[in-house]
Amino acid sequence: MGDPHGIGVVGLGVISRAYLNTLANHPTVRVVALADLDAARAVAAAAAIPGAEAVSVERLLHHPDVATVLNLTIPAAHAEISGAAIDAGRNVYVEKPLTVTFPQGRSIIDRAASAGVRVGCAPDTVLGTGTQTARAAIDSGLIGRPLAASAVMVTPGHERWHPDPDFYYAPGGGPLLDMGPYYISALVHLLGPVRAVIGAASRLRDVRVIGSGPRLGQRIPVEVPTHVTGALEHAGGALTTLTTSFDGVATTAAPIEVHGENGTLAVPDPNTFDGEVRHLALDGPGWRTLEPRAGYVAAARGIGLIDLVRSDVMCPPRASGEVALHVLEIMTALLRSAAEGRRVELTTAVERPTPVPITPAEEWRSALAPGR
């Protein structure tokens, strides 16, 4: 089995806790180094992980025991940190989105290929039993030929709960680049890649007010669209309508619905790993819940990195940089379409990632991972 794969974590904000809960206790990997602009935060995180040390970013990138850098910085720093890790000969797994702009993302993937290292990217929620069970149902022909889908995310904005929400309203943020990766990645797993998009976008207000934490009441500028909608033309012929918004209050719409010739699937929130997949058959008696039939059971943030570490030529990583680049191009093309008022054809195309067989928690949490 060999020694555990060494992980260095850059960026110890809110999302890091979820990743560390998974990785710090997994036998396949070992968290050896942590770095953050706030050195005290790195020290505190390292103290909770046996054998880990708090270091500078430069030291982490060249740490002899770090094989993969987990990049959890804010979106604006994704390209810089991932690029530096690649240049240091390290694999990279980055929080979504891959980068802020498509050219940056293209550069990261090309540099990694030249350096002979791998890139993975969130979200890995699509590897759980929710999205994977829905995919297995589609692939088995349960709803017949898929014709269309809808994906809807509506919230009043993250400033209501996040203590430092500035980056959500700066370039690289907004509802599409922040939450869109969950929905669009799921749609790629379910229906395959996208060949063209048509988008529209708006911004309800230019200032947001922080609603919690030590900065309660502070006003922050809004620099990006906060309501984005559009149509995705999948290469296989299906059409998806997508809505992402930080301007609404709530919605009763299913997070994702997939419509086929013979039935419809209601897919759970792709920001979670599990949830009910419901099926309504043409002329059927009513909605029924499908038993989980695929995916990592009780999965958690970091499963995509573990999947990357265990990947090989026969089974490439599922939360891959290539999928993330395609998702990034879809999102940036929607924004460009909205700005220019035209249909935009994509330049990237990916294969649907390999399905995840049903894998009990005790298996994916083990060093052998029979479900891989």
Side-chain angles (χ1 to χ4, degrees):
M1 287 165 45
D3 296 329
H5 188 94
I7 303 295
V9 183
V10 180
L12 295 164
V14 173
I15 194 63
S16 68
R17 301 169 199 160
Y19 278 92
L20 292 175
N21 285 343
T22 300
L23 301 176
N25 300 304
H26 200 282
T28 296
V29 299
R30 181 167 69 93
V31 178
V32 298
L34 304 104
D36 192 273
L37 290 176
D38 182 345
R41 195 153 62 175
V43 170
I49 303 173
E53 59 178 323
V55 298
S56 68
V57 173
E58 182 66 19
R59 165 64 177 159
L60 184 146
L61 295 178
H62 296 89
H63 194 294
D65 295 330
V66 170
T68 294
V69 172
L70 173 57
N71 181 359
L72 302 181
T73 58
I74 62 171
H78 284 183
E80 177 185 359
I81 297 300
S82 294
I86 290 167
D87 292 345
R90 293 343 188 224
N91 305 311
V92 173
Y93 188 91
V94 59
E95 178 57 15
K96 50 78 190 167
L98 179 64
T99 56
V100 172
T101 71
F102 178 68
Q104 288 176 337
R106 177 80 272 173
S107 175
I108 290 298
I109 298 303
D110 290 346
R111 286 162 70 179
S114 296
V117 299
R118 291 174 291 176
V119 176
C121 185
D124 54 6
T125 49
V126 294
L127 307 183
T129 55
T131 299
Q132 291 295 316
T133 293
R135 173 177 177 169
I138 293 170
D139 290 352
S140 72
L142 184 64
I143 63 171
R145 182 165 58 102
L147 305 173
S150 60
V152 182
M153 190 289 300
V154 177
T155 78
H158 294 340
E159 75 278 7
R160 294 167 59 85
W161 59 269
H162 198 291
D164 294 297
D166 309 61
F167 68 92
Y168 288 117
Y169 300 101
L176 182 60
L177 266 73
D178 175 50
M179 297 299 292
Y182 297 105
Y183 293 79
I184 298 173
S185 295
L187 290 164
V188 170
H189 277 260
L190 296 171
L191 299 174
V194 172
R195 63 187 175 206
V197 303
I198 301 172
S202 64
R203 183 170 62 196
L204 182 65
R205 50 192 183 273
D206 296 329
V207 173
R208 298 273 176 149
V209 179
I210 298 177
S212 65
R215 299 174 61 198
L216 176 67
Q218 286 189 22
R219 296 161 64 86
I220 57 176
V222 178
E223 304 175 59
V224 295
T226 49
H227 184 98
V228 184
T229 187
L232 316 181
E233 301 176 20
H234 293 268
L239 298 177
T240 291
T241 56
L242 172 71
T243 299
T244 63
S245 182
F246 283 168
D247 289 337
V249 173
T251 178
T252 59
I256 296 176
E257 287 186 336
V258 181
H259 308 287
E261 291 174 306
N262 301 321
T264 290
L265 286 177
V267 184
D269 185 350
N271 191 22
T272 62
F273 287 90
D274 47 24
E276 289 188 349
V277 178
R278 296 184 299 124
H279 170 239
L280 180 64
L282 181 67
D283 300 325
W287 289 95
R288 67 184 182 98
T289 299
L290 303 182
E291 289 295 323
R293 64 177 73 176
Y296 292 112
V297 177
R301 310 273 176 174
I303 186 65
L305 191 154
I306 294 167
D307 190 88
L308 172 76
V309 167
R310 291 169 165 169
S311 64
D312 54 33
V313 173
M314 297 303 294
C315 190
R318 298 178 174 98
S320 69
E322 289 74 19
V323 170
L325 181 66
H326 184 60
V327 170
L328 178 62
E329 186 178 21
I330 292 168
M331 296 188 295
T332 54
L334 279 166
L335 293 172
R336 182 152 58 96
S337 172
E340 298 176 1
R342 65 180 182 89
R343 177 177 179 272
V344 175
E345 295 188 359
L346 302 188
T347 62
T348 59
V350 293
E351 297 292 330
R352 293 170 77 201
T354 306
V356 181
I358 190 74
T359 307
E362 59 271 19
E363 292 187 6
W364 70 257
R365 289 188 178 124
S366 76
L368 296 179
R372 181 71 180 102

